[in-house]
Amino acid sequence: MSFFKSAALGLTAVGLSLGLAYSAQADVLPATNLEFNQLTHPLTQQKDFFNTVMPIGWSVGTAGADGSLTYVGEQGSEGYTGTGGNIYPVYTNPGFSVTVPAGTNFFQADGNPQYENTIFQTITGLTAGTTYTLQFQQAAGQQVGFSGETHEQWLVYLGKGGISVSCGSTSCTPVVPTGNLEQDSTLMTTPSEMNIDWNSVTLSFTPTAADLTGGSAVLTFLAWGDMGSTTNLPPTVFLQGVNTTPVVPEPATLSVLGVGLLGLGAVMMRRRAKQGGAAA
């Protein structure tokens, strides 16, 4: 095999590796302010009402009867009682650890469908048939003063939006208009008077043309507790975001590039050695 053919093959392999890495990065769902750090109004205490601070890029829906039971707080204040009315404390046994970069705020919602609400944002630049990944951290807890095992998760939608909740006397169900994809986070089971620590969730969405409006779709989070039961135990769900697109190649990508370059170097050395032997 000639040197030029070997070099071409080596460069092609490196190019394909970088292309695959780029494709993987490009398919991250471009949600903004999932860290809830950019606020229209600054926090005046460690945890405050969502409607008071209004994270930039997010809107509040009308899913439940009382949308005031949604909060934004500084990491480490998950159990903070605060001084602002209904900012209720949650049990912190065994406690909440630091699992995302320092400085990230969290979103908290009551998981009882009668008292919760949706938050949503419109994401642009999406392509039908492309699979997008969404990564975030979730945690759970029970309000202090209550007891009984609870179950918590996030119902996440991508599409036309308009998610709401319909409640009967004992249970509620989500109302999801046509044109919405749904992916649910891992169900957390919280022992009575305890909490579930932060854990990672990765979801994937592949929107069709019917789910998009001019390349845009609405990303919606709905806190969901006790499988829709209206029994007020109550469950509480937390959200922190880590859904960012890497700016530089990841270490694995750089390793592949390094291997490719080393291979090209070896080819060049062998070529020179052969030329030197022939000259002798």
Side-chain angles (χ1 to χ4, degrees), residues 91-97 138-142 150 152 187-191 194-199 236 238:
Y91 290 107
T92 55
N93 177 27
F96 296 95
S97 66
Q138 66 174 5
Q142 184 176 41
T150 60
E152 299 88 0
L187 182 67
M188 297 173 284
T189 299
T190 305
M194 297 184 71
N195 74 281
I196 298 295
D197 198 9
W198 291 105
N199 56 96
T236 302
F238 297 89

PDB file of all heavy atoms in Angstrom, residues 91-97 138-142 150 152 187-191 194-199 236 238:
ATOM      1  N   TYR A  91     -38.272  16.582  54.295  1.00  0.00           N
ATOM      2  CA  TYR A  91     -37.358  15.766  55.094  1.00  0.00           C
ATOM      3  C   TYR A  91     -36.016  15.640  54.384  1.00  0.00           C
ATOM      4  O   TYR A  91     -35.964  15.504  53.159  1.00  0.00           O
ATOM      5  CB  TYR A  91     -37.954  14.379  55.328  1.00  0.00           C
ATOM      6  CG  TYR A  91     -39.153  14.373  56.254  1.00  0.00           C
ATOM      7  CD1 TYR A  91     -40.436  14.168  55.752  1.00  0.00           C
ATOM      8  CD2 TYR A  91     -39.003  14.564  57.628  1.00  0.00           C
ATOM      9  CE1 TYR A  91     -41.544  14.149  56.596  1.00  0.00           C
ATOM     10  CE2 TYR A  91     -40.103  14.555  58.483  1.00  0.00           C
ATOM     11  CZ  TYR A  91     -41.369  14.342  57.953  1.00  0.00           C
ATOM     12  OH  TYR A  91     -42.458  14.329  58.796  1.00  0.00           O
ATOM     13  N   THR A  92     -34.951  15.675  55.135  1.00  0.00           N
ATOM     14  CA  THR A  92     -33.604  15.606  54.555  1.00  0.00           C
ATOM     15  C   THR A  92     -32.814  14.431  55.120  1.00  0.00           C
ATOM     16  O   THR A  92     -31.614  14.508  55.356  1.00  0.00           O
ATOM     17  CB  THR A  92     -32.835  16.915  54.806  1.00  0.00           C
ATOM     18  OG1 THR A  92     -32.821  17.192  56.216  1.00  0.00           O
ATOM     19  CG2 THR A  92     -33.478  18.076  54.073  1.00  0.00           C
ATOM     20  N   ASN A  93     -33.483  13.334  55.345  1.00  0.00           N
ATOM     21  CA  ASN A  93     -32.830  12.097  55.768  1.00  0.00           C
ATOM     22  C   ASN A  93     -32.933  11.101  54.614  1.00  0.00           C
ATOM     23  O   ASN A  93     -34.040  10.802  54.174  1.00  0.00           O
ATOM     24  CB  ASN A  93     -33.523  11.526  57.017  1.00  0.00           C
ATOM     25  CG  ASN A  93     -32.932  10.194  57.459  1.00  0.00           C
ATOM     26  OD1 ASN A  93     -31.780   9.909  57.210  1.00  0.00           O
ATOM     27  ND2 ASN A  93     -33.748   9.370  58.099  1.00  0.00           N
ATOM     28  N   PRO A  94     -31.806  10.629  54.038  1.00  0.00           N
ATOM     29  CA  PRO A  94     -30.410  10.769  54.482  1.00  0.00           C
ATOM     30  C   PRO A  94     -29.726  12.049  54.043  1.00  0.00           C
ATOM     31  O   PRO A  94     -28.585  12.284  54.393  1.00  0.00           O
ATOM     32  CB  PRO A  94     -29.745   9.556  53.833  1.00  0.00           C
ATOM     33  CG  PRO A  94     -30.504   9.361  52.558  1.00  0.00           C
ATOM     34  CD  PRO A  94     -31.928   9.696  52.887  1.00  0.00           C
ATOM     35  N   GLY A  95     -30.398  12.890  53.237  1.00  0.00           N
ATOM     36  CA  GLY A  95     -29.801  14.153  52.823  1.00  0.00           C
ATOM     37  C   GLY A  95     -29.605  14.247  51.327  1.00  0.00           C
ATOM     38  O   GLY A  95     -29.730  13.270  50.590  1.00  0.00           O
ATOM     39  N   PHE A  96     -29.278  15.462  50.857  1.00  0.00           N
ATOM     40  CA  PHE A  96     -29.040  15.727  49.440  1.00  0.00           C
ATOM     41  C   PHE A  96     -27.559  16.030  49.227  1.00  0.00           C
ATOM     42  O   PHE A  96     -26.992  16.874  49.919  1.00  0.00           O
ATOM     43  CB  PHE A  96     -29.864  16.925  48.977  1.00  0.00           C
ATOM     44  CG  PHE A  96     -31.351  16.705  49.048  1.00  0.00           C
ATOM     45  CD1 PHE A  96     -32.074  17.114  50.152  1.00  0.00           C
ATOM     46  CD2 PHE A  96     -32.019  16.099  48.000  1.00  0.00           C
ATOM     47  CE1 PHE A  96     -33.447  16.921  50.224  1.00  0.00           C
ATOM     48  CE2 PHE A  96     -33.390  15.893  48.052  1.00  0.00           C
ATOM     49  CZ  PHE A  96     -34.113  16.310  49.171  1.00  0.00           C
ATOM     50  N   SER A  97     -26.946  15.332  48.284  1.00  0.00           N
ATOM     51  CA  SER A  97     -25.526  15.542  48.016  1.00  0.00           C
ATOM     52  C   SER A  97     -25.354  16.535  46.866  1.00  0.00           C
ATOM     53  O   SER A  97     -26.300  16.886  46.173  1.00  0.00           O
ATOM     54  CB  SER A  97     -24.844  14.229  47.643  1.00  0.00           C
ATOM     55  OG  SER A  97     -25.351  13.739  46.412  1.00  0.00           O
ATOM     56  N   GLN A 138     -32.497  14.481  39.098  1.00  0.00           N
ATOM     57  CA  GLN A 138     -33.742  14.542  39.839  1.00  0.00           C
ATOM     58  C   GLN A 138     -33.521  14.069  41.271  1.00  0.00           C
ATOM     59  O   GLN A 138     -32.557  13.358  41.568  1.00  0.00           O
ATOM     60  CB  GLN A 138     -34.819  13.673  39.175  1.00  0.00           C
ATOM     61  CG  GLN A 138     -34.508  12.175  39.208  1.00  0.00           C
ATOM     62  CD  GLN A 138     -35.655  11.319  38.683  1.00  0.00           C
ATOM     63  OE1 GLN A 138     -36.666  11.826  38.192  1.00  0.00           O
ATOM     64  NE2 GLN A 138     -35.520  10.008  38.780  1.00  0.00           N
ATOM     65  N   ALA A 139     -34.402  14.485  42.153  1.00  0.00           N
ATOM     66  CA  ALA A 139     -34.378  14.050  43.550  1.00  0.00           C
ATOM     67  C   ALA A 139     -35.811  14.127  44.059  1.00  0.00           C
ATOM     68  O   ALA A 139     -36.708  14.633  43.372  1.00  0.00           O
ATOM     69  CB  ALA A 139     -33.434  14.924  44.382  1.00  0.00           C
ATOM     70  N   ALA A 140     -36.028  13.622  45.262  1.00  0.00           N
ATOM     71  CA  ALA A 140     -37.384  13.596  45.802  1.00  0.00           C
ATOM     72  C   ALA A 140     -37.351  13.718  47.321  1.00  0.00           C
ATOM     73  O   ALA A 140     -36.334  13.445  47.966  1.00  0.00           O
ATOM     74  CB  ALA A 140     -38.107  12.311  45.390  1.00  0.00           C
ATOM     75  N   GLY A 141     -38.470  14.124  47.879  1.00  0.00           N
ATOM     76  CA  GLY A 141     -38.591  14.213  49.330  1.00  0.00           C
ATOM     77  C   GLY A 141     -40.052  14.308  49.727  1.00  0.00           C
ATOM     78  O   GLY A 141     -40.931  14.495  48.881  1.00  0.00           O
ATOM     79  N   GLN A 142     -40.314  14.209  51.009  1.00  0.00           N
ATOM     80  CA  GLN A 142     -41.670  14.329  51.530  1.00  0.00           C
ATOM     81  C   GLN A 142     -41.751  15.554  52.431  1.00  0.00           C
ATOM     82  O   GLN A 142     -40.800  15.874  53.155  1.00  0.00           O
ATOM     83  CB  GLN A 142     -42.057  13.082  52.324  1.00  0.00           C
ATOM     84  CG  GLN A 142     -43.509  13.092  52.824  1.00  0.00           C
ATOM     85  CD  GLN A 142     -43.886  11.795  53.523  1.00  0.00           C
ATOM     86  OE1 GLN A 142     -43.101  11.242  54.288  1.00  0.00           O
ATOM     87  NE2 GLN A 142     -45.078  11.307  53.264  1.00  0.00           N
ATOM     88  N   THR A 150     -43.913   7.532  49.467  1.00  0.00           N
ATOM     89  CA  THR A 150     -44.343   8.297  48.296  1.00  0.00           C
ATOM     90  C   THR A 150     -43.557   7.857  47.060  1.00  0.00           C
ATOM     91  O   THR A 150     -42.508   7.219  47.174  1.00  0.00           O
ATOM     92  CB  THR A 150     -44.150   9.810  48.505  1.00  0.00           C
ATOM     93  OG1 THR A 150     -42.761  10.072  48.744  1.00  0.00           O
ATOM     94  CG2 THR A 150     -44.965  10.308  49.690  1.00  0.00           C
ATOM     95  N   GLU A 152     -42.241   9.388  43.169  1.00  0.00           N
ATOM     96  CA  GLU A 152     -42.074  10.625  42.417  1.00  0.00           C
ATOM     97  C   GLU A 152     -41.323  10.389  41.101  1.00  0.00           C
ATOM     98  O   GLU A 152     -40.424   9.553  41.037  1.00  0.00           O
ATOM     99  CB  GLU A 152     -41.288  11.664  43.243  1.00  0.00           C
ATOM    100  CG  GLU A 152     -41.945  12.085  44.540  1.00  0.00           C
ATOM    101  CD  GLU A 152     -41.564  11.176  45.710  1.00  0.00           C
ATOM    102  OE1 GLU A 152     -40.788  10.212  45.498  1.00  0.00           O
ATOM    103  OE2 GLU A 152     -42.051  11.417  46.827  1.00  0.00           O
ATOM    104  N   LEU A 187     -38.763   6.177  38.133  1.00  0.00           N
ATOM    105  CA  LEU A 187     -39.643   6.346  39.288  1.00  0.00           C
ATOM    106  C   LEU A 187     -38.840   6.213  40.577  1.00  0.00           C
ATOM    107  O   LEU A 187     -38.104   5.246  40.772  1.00  0.00           O
ATOM    108  CB  LEU A 187     -40.767   5.309  39.257  1.00  0.00           C
ATOM    109  CG  LEU A 187     -41.804   5.408  40.385  1.00  0.00           C
ATOM    110  CD1 LEU A 187     -42.608   6.693  40.254  1.00  0.00           C
ATOM    111  CD2 LEU A 187     -42.726   4.185  40.362  1.00  0.00           C
ATOM    112  N   MET A 188     -38.974   7.197  41.455  1.00  0.00           N
ATOM    113  CA  MET A 188     -38.304   7.170  42.758  1.00  0.00           C
ATOM    114  C   MET A 188     -39.306   6.778  43.837  1.00  0.00           C
ATOM    115  O   MET A 188     -40.450   7.265  43.833  1.00  0.00           O
ATOM    116  CB  MET A 188     -37.706   8.549  43.077  1.00  0.00           C
ATOM    117  CG  MET A 188     -36.620   8.996  42.108  1.00  0.00           C
ATOM    118  SD  MET A 188     -36.063  10.721  42.386  1.00  0.00           S
ATOM    119  CE  MET A 188     -37.459  11.629  41.674  1.00  0.00           C
ATOM    120  N   THR A 189     -38.902   5.895  44.708  1.00  0.00           N
ATOM    121  CA  THR A 189     -39.739   5.488  45.836  1.00  0.00           C
ATOM    122  C   THR A 189     -39.114   6.021  47.109  1.00  0.00           C
ATOM    123  O   THR A 189     -38.018   5.611  47.496  1.00  0.00           O
ATOM    124  CB  THR A 189     -39.861   3.957  45.909  1.00  0.00           C
ATOM    125  OG1 THR A 189     -40.478   3.476  44.715  1.00  0.00           O
ATOM    126  CG2 THR A 189     -40.703   3.543  47.116  1.00  0.00           C
ATOM    127  N   THR A 190     -39.794   6.949  47.765  1.00  0.00           N
ATOM    128  CA  THR A 190     -39.272   7.621  48.946  1.00  0.00           C
ATOM    129  C   THR A 190     -39.874   7.015  50.206  1.00  0.00           C
ATOM    130  O   THR A 190     -41.095   7.067  50.390  1.00  0.00           O
ATOM    131  CB  THR A 190     -39.589   9.126  48.894  1.00  0.00           C
ATOM    132  OG1 THR A 190     -39.092   9.669  47.668  1.00  0.00           O
ATOM    133  CG2 THR A 190     -38.958   9.856  50.074  1.00  0.00           C
ATOM    134  N   PRO A 191     -39.048   6.436  51.081  1.00  0.00           N
ATOM    135  CA  PRO A 191     -39.577   5.915  52.347  1.00  0.00           C
ATOM    136  C   PRO A 191     -40.218   7.029  53.174  1.00  0.00           C
ATOM    137  O   PRO A 191     -39.883   8.207  53.029  1.00  0.00           O
ATOM    138  CB  PRO A 191     -38.336   5.347  53.047  1.00  0.00           C
ATOM    139  CG  PRO A 191     -37.357   5.086  51.937  1.00  0.00           C
ATOM    140  CD  PRO A 191     -37.605   6.175  50.936  1.00  0.00           C
ATOM    141  N   MET A 194     -38.559  10.601  54.597  1.00  0.00           N
ATOM    142  CA  MET A 194     -37.171  10.582  54.125  1.00  0.00           C
ATOM    143  C   MET A 194     -37.079  11.301  52.776  1.00  0.00           C
ATOM    144  O   MET A 194     -38.037  11.947  52.342  1.00  0.00           O
ATOM    145  CB  MET A 194     -36.650   9.147  54.038  1.00  0.00           C
ATOM    146  CG  MET A 194     -36.593   8.422  55.377  1.00  0.00           C
ATOM    147  SD  MET A 194     -35.869   6.758  55.287  1.00  0.00           S
ATOM    148  CE  MET A 194     -34.155   7.155  54.979  1.00  0.00           C
ATOM    149  N   ASN A 195     -35.932  11.171  52.147  1.00  0.00           N
ATOM    150  CA  ASN A 195     -35.757  11.765  50.818  1.00  0.00           C
ATOM    151  C   ASN A 195     -34.929  10.831  49.947  1.00  0.00           C
ATOM    152  O   ASN A 195     -34.272   9.913  50.448  1.00  0.00           O
ATOM    153  CB  ASN A 195     -35.075  13.139  50.912  1.00  0.00           C
ATOM    154  CG  ASN A 195     -33.593  13.040  51.218  1.00  0.00           C
ATOM    155  OD1 ASN A 195     -33.196  12.836  52.372  1.00  0.00           O
ATOM    156  ND2 ASN A 195     -32.742  13.175  50.203  1.00  0.00           N
ATOM    157  N   ILE A 196     -34.967  11.067  48.644  1.00  0.00           N
ATOM    158  CA  ILE A 196     -34.139  10.353  47.675  1.00  0.00           C
ATOM    159  C   ILE A 196     -33.101  11.328  47.143  1.00  0.00           C
ATOM    160  O   ILE A 196     -33.438  12.430  46.708  1.00  0.00           O
ATOM    161  CB  ILE A 196     -34.980   9.800  46.504  1.00  0.00           C
ATOM    162  CG1 ILE A 196     -36.003   8.787  47.006  1.00  0.00           C
ATOM    163  CG2 ILE A 196     -34.086   9.171  45.437  1.00  0.00           C
ATOM    164  CD1 ILE A 196     -35.398   7.532  47.603  1.00  0.00           C
ATOM    165  N   ASP A 197     -31.826  10.937  47.179  1.00  0.00           N
ATOM    166  CA  ASP A 197     -30.740  11.809  46.773  1.00  0.00           C
ATOM    167  C   ASP A 197     -30.771  12.050  45.262  1.00  0.00           C
ATOM    168  O   ASP A 197     -31.440  11.333  44.503  1.00  0.00           O
ATOM    169  CB  ASP A 197     -29.404  11.187  47.190  1.00  0.00           C
ATOM    170  CG  ASP A 197     -28.269  12.189  47.214  1.00  0.00           C
ATOM    171  OD1 ASP A 197     -28.545  13.401  47.078  1.00  0.00           O
ATOM    172  OD2 ASP A 197     -27.109  11.767  47.359  1.00  0.00           O
ATOM    173  N   TRP A 198     -30.008  13.049  44.823  1.00  0.00           N
ATOM    174  CA  TRP A 198     -29.915  13.388  43.406  1.00  0.00           C
ATOM    175  C   TRP A 198     -29.436  12.184  42.585  1.00  0.00           C
ATOM    176  O   TRP A 198     -28.508  11.490  42.975  1.00  0.00           O
ATOM    177  CB  TRP A 198     -28.943  14.545  43.198  1.00  0.00           C
ATOM    178  CG  TRP A 198     -29.436  15.844  43.744  1.00  0.00           C
ATOM    179  CD1 TRP A 198     -29.015  16.471  44.882  1.00  0.00           C
ATOM    180  CD2 TRP A 198     -30.458  16.669  43.193  1.00  0.00           C
ATOM    181  NE1 TRP A 198     -29.712  17.640  45.068  1.00  0.00           N
ATOM    182  CE2 TRP A 198     -30.603  17.785  44.046  1.00  0.00           C
ATOM    183  CE3 TRP A 198     -31.261  16.579  42.057  1.00  0.00           C
ATOM    184  CZ2 TRP A 198     -31.524  18.812  43.789  1.00  0.00           C
ATOM    185  CZ3 TRP A 198     -32.179  17.593  41.808  1.00  0.00           C
ATOM    186  CH2 TRP A 198     -32.299  18.686  42.660  1.00  0.00           C
ATOM    187  N   ASN A 199     -30.086  11.948  41.454  1.00  0.00           N
ATOM    188  CA  ASN A 199     -29.703  10.871  40.550  1.00  0.00           C
ATOM    189  C   ASN A 199     -29.898  11.322  39.114  1.00  0.00           C
ATOM    190  O   ASN A 199     -30.722  12.190  38.816  1.00  0.00           O
ATOM    191  CB  ASN A 199     -30.493   9.585  40.845  1.00  0.00           C
ATOM    192  CG  ASN A 199     -31.994   9.796  40.791  1.00  0.00           C
ATOM    193  OD1 ASN A 199     -32.639   9.533  39.770  1.00  0.00           O
ATOM    194  ND2 ASN A 199     -32.597  10.291  41.881  1.00  0.00           N
ATOM    195  N   THR A 236     -42.701  15.382  46.797  1.00  0.00           N
ATOM    196  CA  THR A 236     -42.054  16.584  46.267  1.00  0.00           C
ATOM    197  C   THR A 236     -40.942  16.156  45.315  1.00  0.00           C
ATOM    198  O   THR A 236     -40.158  15.269  45.628  1.00  0.00           O
ATOM    199  CB  THR A 236     -41.456  17.433  47.404  1.00  0.00           C
ATOM    200  OG1 THR A 236     -42.499  17.789  48.317  1.00  0.00           O
ATOM    201  CG2 THR A 236     -40.826  18.704  46.858  1.00  0.00           C
ATOM    202  N   PHE A 238     -37.668  17.285  42.673  1.00  0.00           N
ATOM    203  CA  PHE A 238     -36.643  18.294  42.413  1.00  0.00           C
ATOM    204  C   PHE A 238     -36.007  18.048  41.049  1.00  0.00           C
ATOM    205  O   PHE A 238     -35.914  16.909  40.586  1.00  0.00           O
ATOM    206  CB  PHE A 238     -35.549  18.240  43.486  1.00  0.00           C
ATOM    207  CG  PHE A 238     -36.035  18.566  44.878  1.00  0.00           C
ATOM    208  CD1 PHE A 238     -36.522  17.572  45.712  1.00  0.00           C
ATOM    209  CD2 PHE A 238     -35.992  19.866  45.357  1.00  0.00           C
ATOM    210  CE1 PHE A 238     -36.965  17.864  46.996  1.00  0.00           C
ATOM    211  CE2 PHE A 238     -36.415  20.173  46.641  1.00  0.00           C
ATOM    212  CZ  PHE A 238     -36.909  19.171  47.459  1.00  0.00           C
TER     213      PHE A 238
END
